[in-house]
Amino acid sequence: MKIQGSLIIFSTDNEERKDVRRLKEKKLQILLDEKNNLPTFEITSKLYIKEAAEKKVEKLFLTPKFYIEQLYTWGNPKYYTSNAELTVTYLVIISKNNIQAIPKNLKFYDITIQNEGQENLQNIILNSEHKKIEYTVATTIKRQRENIDYIHKLVGKAPITELTALIIHNGIKRLRNRIENTNIAFSFLEEEFAISELQQIYEIILDKKLISANFRKKIEPMVKKTSKVVKESAYRPANRYTFNEEFIRNWV
């Protein structure tokens, strides 16, 4: 059986400033090649699969600073190709500030998800400076034995393969699930950040606005204040914070 690795790589970028009184708003991004595919890597018997994925990411961006975890293994014969029958996907989060280089054939795309009139339809728009990719994903629920499965598929013709669309869909779902109970959100930021920047990461992933006072209370045990401040708006400078690693030790 032919096995291939793939990488769903998330990052963020800043929107154009809409309000001088606020920090620049952020947008979620994903990396694709010129054929609208996710980056892939070779799986051999010489390395653990995760180690091979890590080496691929380091080669792409010339940095060891990123978050990585296994997302899913895809074994549906519907998606078999001449290159691979089994695809093992790893989810990666990287801050743009840690990227030293990006291969010319790869571009980051802004992600926009719009719920269509029906609950089971989502329209996904991926935008870069030179290209727009738009497609629709339909979701149905199937119950088998004691399992409830959510089946996702492309609707109509699309400029992207169904497997790539499903990996993106499941990658975003993983981000939403993990952001609620882990430190995964901090991987999008520099080592030092403003609380408002961290809140924006939560908002773009959860796709909803959060009440600042409640958010600060929630994440208070997860951060430590530094002596530094940042001034990027018309209001008073914002304090800089770092991730509190004691939070993870206590949580584990």
Side-chain angles (χ1 to χ4, degrees), residues 3-232:
I3 305 176
Q4 177 179 262
S6 69
L7 300 167
I8 178 166
I9 302 174
F10 290 103
S11 189
T12 60
D13 203 353
N14 291 326
E15 299 271 12
E16 291 185 14
R17 192 189 300 277
K18 299 175 182 178
D19 187 343
V20 297
R21 298 168 298 179
R22 296 175 57 87
L23 295 175
K24 293 179 180 178
E25 294 185 0
K26 295 186 178 296
K27 51 190 176 183
L28 186 64
Q29 294 186 316
I30 191 170
L31 194 73
L32 296 175
D33 68 16
E34 72 278 8
K35 295 182 179 180
N36 305 339
N37 295 320
L38 298 167
T40 60
F41 63 94
E42 185 180 4
I43 293 176
T44 69
S45 59
K46 298 180 180 180
L47 290 174
Y48 286 109
I49 298 178
K50 184 179 181 182
E51 187 177 351
E54 291 170 340
K55 286 183 176 294
K56 178 66 175 183
V57 178
E58 289 181 10
K59 183 178 179 180
L60 290 178
F61 302 125
L62 303 182
T63 179
K65 295 181 178 181
F66 54 85
Y67 174 92
I68 186 168
E69 68 172 56
Q70 186 173 335
L71 174 65
Y72 202 76
T73 299
W74 312 87
N76 189 334
K78 181 180 180 181
Y79 306 127
Y80 287 0
T81 68
S82 57
N83 295 323
E85 295 168 347
L86 200 66
T87 299
V88 182
T89 302
Y90 275 80
L91 181 150
V92 176
I93 299 172
I94 188 165
S95 166
K96 286 285 181 64
N97 296 287
N98 292 329
I99 294 176
Q100 303 300 314
I102 301 179
K104 292 182 179 179
N105 68 317
L106 298 175
K107 301 289 183 186
F108 277 101
Y109 287 76
D110 302 342
I111 303 174
T112 302
I113 301 175
Q114 301 171 336
N115 292 315
E116 296 295 310
Q118 304 175 49
E119 290 185 0
N120 67 327
L121 292 179
Q122 285 188 321
N123 190 44
I124 293 84
I125 302 171
L126 307 177
N127 260 317
S128 72
E129 294 180 0
H130 307 292
K131 189 191 292 188
K132 180 178 181 180
I133 302 169
E134 188 170 359
Y135 59 93
T136 300
V137 172
T139 301
T140 56
I141 299 175
K142 179 181 179 181
R143 186 176 185 116
Q144 186 174 7
R145 302 185 182 90
E146 294 301 314
N147 295 346
I148 297 178
D149 294 327
Y150 293 85
I151 311 299
H152 311 293
K153 64 179 182 179
L154 281 178
V155 177
K157 293 184 178 180
I160 196 169
T161 68
E162 186 167 76
L163 180 56
T164 298
L166 299 191
I167 293 175
I168 293 173
H169 191 92
N170 282 272
I172 293 172
K173 283 173 59 180
R174 174 69 62 84
L175 286 182
R176 290 176 176 174
N177 289 335
R178 298 280 279 160
I179 200 172
E180 294 284 14
N181 53 25
T182 73
N183 63 317
I184 198 171
F186 294 86
S187 301
F188 287 99
L189 299 169
E190 296 182 62
E191 186 174 340
E192 296 181 354
F193 50 85
I195 294 297
S196 56
E197 292 178 298
L198 180 59
Q199 182 172 333
Q200 285 182 27
I201 297 298
Y202 275 78
E203 289 177 341
I204 61 175
I205 292 175
L206 297 175
D207 193 26
K208 64 181 181 182
K209 287 293 183 180
L210 303 174
I211 299 173
S212 296
N214 292 346
F215 177 76
R216 286 175 176 270
K217 183 177 180 180
K218 174 182 177 179
I219 58 90
E220 184 178 4
M222 303 172 67
V223 298
K224 293 189 299 185
K225 185 187 291 187
T226 72
S227 59
K228 300 178 182 179
V229 296
V230 59
K231 183 173 176 58
E232 290 189 4

